[in-house]
Amino acid sequence: MNAQQARELYERYLTRLYVQRDVESMTDFFAPDVVAQPLPAGVPAGLPGLKLMARVWLESFSDIQFIIHSFLYDQDMVAVRLLVTGVHTGGFMGIAPTGRRVEITDHPHFRLRNGKVVEIWDQLDMLSLLQQLGALPPAVQAA
């Protein structure tokens, strides 16, 4: 697989999951024994946990969209920098729907083998998300 094929695979994944809202399509993109880190406490390991987290996001944020700002591919590793936007229309982590539009940065990294993700690390800016939802105070600006 080359960089263009890896990017096309990732874009197909985003479309199938978040535009078509097809959680079961994740089996087309992830190995059955995928290693996913970090997952919140209580979330099952592997593909079942990833599907659960996808459902949470789909139920919590309508109009979810992804803008790819950078996509790097080297051998079997991919690093992406994304802007994720959506409207908070469903409960999320105990936070009642606010109707607020959110914008958060995400940095997923994953390893591909035979056209499927076998390992994934996701670094989503949860602090910013929780601040935008009003669950945490906004950051203090330096004088």
Side-chain angles (χ1 to χ4, degrees):
M1 179 171 289
N2 62 36
Q4 182 63 35
Q5 292 167 323
R7 184 174 178 133
E8 289 170 0
L9 176 74
Y10 187 67
E11 289 174 347
R12 278 195 311 276
Y13 158 72
L14 291 176
T15 299
R16 295 268 306 276
L17 180 57
Y18 293 106
V19 175
Q20 298 172 0
R21 305 177 76 78
D22 181 4
V23 173
E24 292 309 312
S25 73
M26 292 177 74
T27 59
D28 295 340
F29 302 98
F30 292 88
D33 57 349
V34 60
V35 176
Q37 300 175 32
L39 287 175
V43 173
L47 190 53
L50 290 174
K51 286 182 178 183
L52 175 64
M53 294 304 300
R55 285 186 185 95
V56 166
W57 282 93
L58 288 169
E59 292 168 2
S60 300
F61 297 93
S62 63
D63 190 33
I64 195 165
Q65 296 179 11
F66 296 81
I67 299 168
I68 298 173
H69 286 291
S70 62
F71 187 95
L72 302 172
Y73 176 79
D74 185 26
Q75 298 175 24
D76 62 351
M77 290 294 300
V78 175
V80 185
R81 185 171 55 90
L82 301 165
L83 177 66
V84 182
T85 64
V87 179
H88 181 220
T89 53
F92 180 75
M93 295 178 56
I95 304 167
T98 63
R100 294 178 181 175
R101 174 164 287 286
V102 297
E103 291 188 357
I104 44 181
T105 302
D106 190 14
H107 294 94
H109 294 77
F110 51 95
R111 182 181 313 279
L112 294 169
R113 186 175 304 130
N114 299 322
K116 291 196 175 190
V117 175
V118 294
E119 291 180 87
I120 183 166
W121 305 264
D122 197 5
Q123 296 299 311
L124 181 72
D125 186 355
M126 287 299 292
L127 176 60
S128 173
L129 175 60
L130 293 174
Q131 289 171 331
Q132 290 176 64
L133 296 179
L136 293 175
V140 177
Q141 300 294 321

